[in-house]
Amino acid sequence: MAKKIDALEYHSMGRKGKIEVVSTKPCLTARDLSLAYTPGVAEPCLEIEKNPEDAYKYTAKGNLVAVVSNGTAVLGLGNIGAIAGKPVMEGKGVLFKRFADVDVFDLEVNSENPDDVIKVVQLLEPTFGGINLEDIKAPECFYIEEELKKTMNIPVFHDDQHGTAIISTAALINALMLVNKKIENIRIVVNGAGAAGVACANLAISLGARQQNVMMCDTKGIIYKGRTEGMNVYKERLAVETELRTLEDAMKGADVFIGVSAKGAVTPQMVRDMAKDPIIMAMANPDPEITPEEALAVRSDVIMATGRSDYPNQVNNVLGFPFIFRGALDVRASTINEEMKAAAVRALAELAREDCPDSVCRAYGNEKFSFGRNYIIPKPFDPRALLKVAPAVAQAAMDSGVARQPIEDMEKYVESLEALQGKAKETMRFIINKAKCDPKKMVFPEGDNEKILKAAYTIVEEGIAQPILIGNRAKVEAKIAEMGLDLNVPIIDPENSELTEGYAQELYRLRQRKGITLSEARRIIRRKSRNHFGSMMVRMGDADTLLSGIDAHYPETIRPALEVIGKQPQLTGVHGMYMMIFKKGIYFMADTTVEIDPTAEELAETAILAAEKVRLLEIEPRVAMLSFSNFGSVSHELTLKVKKAVELVKQKAPDLEVEGEMQADTAVVPEILTNYSFSTLTGPPNILIFPDLNSGNICYKLLHRLGGAEAIGPILMGMKKPVHVLQRGDDVTDIVNMAAIAVVDAQSQE
């Protein structure tokens, strides 16, 4: 139930759906408008009229793919119709953009007549650089793709066919290498004669499997020469001469099983009957033809792959289509041919045989991957896939003569692909994965808040932390039940907890000379302040970190933490920092939440603490100390304060790259900073230290609300133990992100 609620909320919150159109050119002034539209737009129109190929120069055509479906075979849902399939097609667009920076328009064609689909796509050829056919039932999908490839001069690719085939065949090549078998000698059984099954069989044959050794089955049994029931021209091409009739018959002595059929289609006995070192690719969605547990219970020499992320060797199409189209678009290929598909297969197979980088291992809970029976295909989030598959596909297009704009320097092309993988959106995933490696006990004083409960559910699902909720047990449990959450975490009610009296005694000891009595301490811990109770849990070691503030003003949250936990003794105070994630990069800004009018010493302290936090994220810090002056251009007490802070940082942290005082545009525009040749920074600054809270707080909020930056924070620096504060407007994603940051902070302090 909770997953249904989460999915519906994800698609409906804020701007509806998952995609939007964003302008790539400025349109802020009358001049901009005259260039974007009339009269200036006439110029590129006339150039394209003279030379249609200039559409790739003056429009988005060269990076625009249509995801086309009529909703007749939506994954796992069947024939639900064009409009019902739209969320899937939008999702496909998200994956294109996320993994390969390919733009997408999704086109849902309201017809089950394949000729209608063909006609629509043909008429729209001027708009697009490529066509991705999606979720169209067989055998119509074969006919549609064949006709479009005959008549169109841009790549047409039915991912349900070829995507699954490419990924699974890459896995097959590696599995055969492990068991020392050659593709031309093996017997393959393919169960499921739809789009994916037919494509898997054809691709295996094109890569060396003998057609007579590839036996295809459907719901009627083996597809054999002379069969009439349930046949079509595409099945007929794969029919074999045999006396065998059932899947059970076909599996006897088979080396490979490729399943794109239905749950439970393969029995343990069928696995027993297969040849030595059998390779089973059970890719039925969402449940495989046979699970790895069932197959391995029968025999230990089996190599398994499925479509599931919770098993090793996931066959996931996202490893293919974004990168295949990226390579095809970048050479303006007129088609995606067999040579390009084979190149993608080889590139993915080779990638799995390379050493797996730590960044990929961290993305999967720090699990180590090395080429072997449980790692025959790269992981879907492996960033190297773009850098391997797209160039391989582009090279194959050039070698086979279908590239209309060949790449002259492949090394520079790979560098351009690397530039697409900006770290901005990856940073939070890195932090989350780092948290998952060693989850900590995290106390939420606002345990009855709906957003906190949703976040706690996600935190448990992702394995980020071990949440502890503070609140009235009955009310919290009732709220969890009302929301339909499957959330089983500790709930502590200060009214009747066995911890309450000990915490009250400790609070009295800490604050008795600050005017607090024992009875007042008991009242605070038991009833008045859950933030005091939560902070005491962290102080006493019953929790590792605290996250609070969704229901309270900032001072109401931080004050109890300062009273109970306190700042690190060597520091002048605590400081606040925000991580601002932009499309092209990340900036860390401090102090944005705590120090109102810091001294030079406090500014220096902020800079050093910020650098320490940034290093935890495996980012090399470079600090710019901001002012309204550039390196002494104005002599004023405010600029002199910043200048002195720079000198203090260099004294206290001589290895830290820091410069200032400088204006904000000097810090963020490399062309301006290079005018100051004496600067000691080796690259653009990524930490911006503001001269006071006034400027810092205003700046980050404007960038967040008007500049499109994602604001993660505040990240509290300088506490004895990790405590972090939420903002009252934070959503569930913000809470989850801050939880991950808090866990990483706790890991570092440990």
Side-chain angles (χ1 to χ4, degrees):
M1 182 62 180
K3 289 185 178 179
K4 177 180 178 180
I5 293 171
D6 290 343
L8 293 177
E9 181 178 343
Y10 174 85
H11 285 81
S12 64
M13 65 182 180
R15 184 187 288 267
K16 310 309 178 190
K18 300 190 289 287
I19 57 175
E20 67 175 332
V21 176
V22 178
S23 174
T24 60
K25 302 294 187 293
C27 193
L28 302 173
T29 66
R31 181 178 182 275
D32 292 340
L33 185 60
S34 70
L35 293 172
Y37 198 52
T38 184
V41 74
E43 300 304 330
C45 291
L46 293 172
E47 293 298 310
I48 294 169
E49 182 187 25
K50 288 187 289 186
N51 177 19
E53 284 295 299
D54 277 353
Y56 288 94
K57 181 177 181 181
Y58 296 116
T59 77
K61 177 181 172 72
N63 196 53
L64 187 60
V65 167
V67 173
V68 181
S69 178
N70 63 0
T72 53
V74 178
L75 183 65
L77 300 174
N79 188 349
I80 61 174
I83 188 65
K86 185 173 176 64
V88 178
M89 306 315 133
E90 286 188 357
K92 196 68 178 277
V94 171
L95 296 180
F96 265 109
K97 189 67 177 176
R98 158 65 177 78
F99 286 97
D101 197 28
V102 173
D103 296 316
V104 162
F105 290 158
D106 59 293
L107 302 178
E108 291 73 37
V109 182
N110 194 25
S111 175
E112 294 192 17
N113 183 337
D115 290 317
D116 288 344
V117 178
I118 291 168
K119 190 66 174 175
V120 167
V121 176
Q122 288 172 330
L123 290 173
L124 288 170
E125 180 170 357
T127 305
F128 298 101
I131 306 294
N132 183 103
L133 299 174
E134 191 77 15
D135 292 351
I136 301 172
K137 68 178 180 179
E140 289 91 334
C141 61
F142 303 121
Y143 167 63
I144 290 170
E145 186 187 46
E146 285 179 357
E147 290 302 305
L148 290 176
K149 291 186 80 165
K150 287 178 193 173
T151 57
M152 298 184 73
N153 203 32
I154 57 175
V156 178
F157 184 82
H158 184 205
D159 187 46
D160 300 321
Q161 292 183 60
H162 310 299
T164 302
I166 287 166
I167 314 308
S168 61
T169 304
L172 174 61
I173 287 173
N174 280 340
L176 291 173
M177 184 178 294
L178 288 170
V179 298
N180 197 28
K181 294 182 181 181
K182 296 184 180 296
I183 194 168
E184 60 267 25
N185 297 332
I186 60 171
R187 278 213 310 114
I188 302 173
V189 176
V190 181
N191 194 47
V198 169
C200 287
N202 284 330
L203 187 55
I205 291 167
S206 73
L207 290 173
R210 296 176 183 171
Q211 184 164 348
Q212 64 267 30
N213 287 343
V214 179
M215 197 166 288
M216 176 162 280
C217 301
D218 60 12
T219 56
K220 309 296 182 184
I222 293 172
I223 295 172
Y224 58 89
K225 294 284 188 183
R227 197 183 102 172
T228 57
E229 186 180 12
M231 293 294 286
N232 59 49
V233 63
Y234 306 100
K235 292 182 183 180
E236 189 63 45
R237 293 172 185 169
L238 292 166
V240 294
E241 294 280 1
T242 180
E243 298 297 319
L244 305 178
R245 292 295 181 264
T246 67
L247 176 61
E248 289 87 347
D249 295 338
M251 290 289 276
K252 292 175 181 175
D255 297 282
V256 176
F257 171 82
I258 298 174
V260 279
S261 52
K263 174 185 178 181
V266 173
T267 65
Q269 185 56 50
M270 293 182 195
V271 177
R272 287 191 189 95
D273 291 341
M274 293 181 74
K276 183 178 182 295
D277 292 315
I279 299 163
I280 297 176
M281 297 189 186
M283 298 178 289
N285 190 291
D287 298 303
E289 286 80 0
I290 188 169
T291 67
E293 294 93 338
E294 292 168 330
L296 290 167
V298 174
R299 54 194 300 176
S300 61
D301 62 341
V302 66
I303 295 178
M304 280 286 300
T306 71
R308 293 267 293 265
S309 61
D310 51 346
Y311 291 125
N313 300 324
Q314 182 192 13
V315 177
N316 190 321
N317 283 21
V318 80
L319 275 168
F321 68 84
F323 318 125
I324 293 166
F325 269 97
R326 180 76 275 158
L329 292 172
D330 289 341
V331 295
R332 292 192 202 166
S334 58
T335 187
I336 294 175
N337 56 26
E338 293 304 310
E339 292 88 344
M340 295 160 74
K341 289 187 277 186
V345 170
R346 289 191 293 270
L348 285 169
E350 290 168 3
L351 182 57
R353 297 196 293 270
E354 294 181 6
D355 290 339
C356 192
D358 289 342
S359 61
V360 176
C361 297
R362 284 195 296 267
Y364 293 87
N366 233 24
E367 183 179 352
K368 297 298 182 184
F369 301 110
S370 59
F371 180 58
R373 288 173 174 261
N374 287 328
Y375 183 68
I376 57 174
I377 193 73
K379 292 294 182 181
F381 282 97
D382 193 328
R384 302 172 300 166
L386 172 64
L387 310 180
K388 295 288 186 179
V389 178
V393 169
Q395 187 65 55
M398 292 188 289
D399 294 344
S400 60
V402 298
R404 289 172 294 182
Q405 182 177 282
I407 294 168
E408 296 181 1
D409 189 329
M410 192 58 72
E411 285 188 15
K412 286 188 177 179
Y413 174 59
V414 173
E415 289 177 5
S416 73
L417 294 176
E418 286 179 316
L420 296 179
Q421 297 182 324
K423 286 192 174 182
K425 290 296 181 182
E426 302 304 315
T427 298
M428 272 319 305
R429 175 49 51 186
F430 165 77
I431 295 170
I432 288 171
N433 292 330
K434 194 165 186 177
K436 289 165 67 173
C437 296
D438 186 15
K440 299 297 182 184
K441 291 183 289 185
M442 176 175 296
V443 58
F444 290 93
E446 300 151 311
D448 50 5
N449 179 278
E450 192 168 299
K451 287 183 180 179
I452 294 294
L453 292 174
K454 286 183 179 180
Y457 172 78
T458 302
I459 289 164
V460 172
E461 286 284 290
E462 288 251 8
I464 295 170
Q466 303 164 32
I468 301 169
L469 305 176
I470 300 179
N472 180 282
R473 177 178 294 277
K475 289 182 179 179
V476 174
E477 289 178 343
K479 179 69 75 173
I480 291 172
E482 176 189 329
M483 295 170 63
L485 294 174
D486 182 16
L487 181 61
N488 183 20
V489 297
I491 301 170
I492 296 179
D493 186 345
E495 288 273 5
N496 51 39
S497 171
E498 61 183 17
L499 300 172
T500 299
E501 180 58 25
Y503 289 176
Q505 293 283 350
E506 179 66 6
L507 181 61
Y508 172 63
R509 187 186 70 79
L510 289 172
R511 307 293 295 175
Q512 61 186 337
R513 293 189 179 274
K514 300 289 185 180
I516 194 172
T517 65
L518 180 57
S519 61
E520 177 65 11
R522 285 174 174 147
R523 188 174 72 84
I524 290 171
I525 292 294
R526 190 180 300 277
R527 295 187 182 91
K528 183 179 178 182
S529 174
R530 284 188 262 170
N531 281 321
H532 276 89
F533 190 99
S535 297
M536 194 61 74
M537 288 191 73
V538 176
R539 176 181 176 86
M540 304 298 284
D542 297 315
D544 299 304
T545 183
L546 175 144
L547 191 57
S548 183
I550 200 74
D551 278 338
H553 292 294
Y554 192 89
E556 296 172 32
T557 305
I558 197 171
R559 190 180 298 113
L562 287 170
E563 290 177 355
V564 172
I565 297 172
K567 66 177 180 63
Q568 295 175 24
Q570 75 276 19
L571 302 178
T572 61
V574 296
H575 309 260
M577 176 174 73
Y578 263 88
M579 178 166 61
M580 306 297 290
I581 301 180
F582 298 86
K583 184 177 180 181
K584 296 297 184 181
I586 303 168
Y587 287 95
F588 299 86
M589 299 184 174
D591 186 325
T592 48
T593 58
V594 182
E595 291 285 353
I596 296 174
D597 186 16
T599 64
E601 288 74 16
E602 288 167 337
L603 280 178
E605 192 170 272
T606 301
I608 293 169
L609 287 172
E612 290 174 357
K613 293 294 183 188
V614 169
R615 282 199 179 100
L616 290 178
L617 308 182
E618 297 187 14
I619 297 173
E620 190 58 34
R622 291 186 294 272
V623 181
M625 308 288 282
L626 301 183
S627 179
F628 62 85
S629 165
N630 272 326
F631 306 104
S633 62
V634 178
S635 181
H636 186 277
E637 60 179 327
L638 295 178
T639 63
L640 292 174
K641 177 179 76 169
V642 178
K643 182 178 181 179
K644 181 180 178 183
V646 174
E647 295 169 354
L648 289 171
V649 173
K650 290 182 176 181
Q651 292 171 16
K652 296 179 179 181
D655 295 333
L656 176 60
E657 289 190 41
V658 60
E659 265 299 357
E661 81 283 14
M662 69 176 74
Q663 295 177 359
D665 56 348
T666 303
V668 300
V669 180
E671 292 79 7
I672 299 177
L673 186 58
T674 55
N675 291 328
Y676 300 95
S677 58
F678 54 81
S679 170
T680 58
L681 296 176
T682 60
N686 48 28
I687 299 175
L688 307 180
I689 305 298
F690 293 91
D692 54 42
L693 183 60
N694 209 27
S695 56
N697 192 269
I698 290 170
C699 182
Y700 100 79
K701 288 188 175 180
L702 284 175
L703 288 172
H704 177 44
R705 299 300 180 184
L706 300 180
E710 184 177 350
I712 308 296
I715 301 169
L716 206 57
M717 306 180 294
M719 296 290 291
K720 283 183 182 177
K721 292 194 174 184
V723 171
H724 289 279
V725 182
L726 299 169
Q727 297 292 286
R728 299 189 78 174
D730 282 349
D731 61 22
V732 173
T733 301
D734 295 326
I735 299 168
V736 173
N737 288 342
M738 280 306 304
I741 288 170
V743 170
V744 172
D745 194 7
Q747 291 171 349
S748 68
Q749 291 205 24
E750 188 178 71

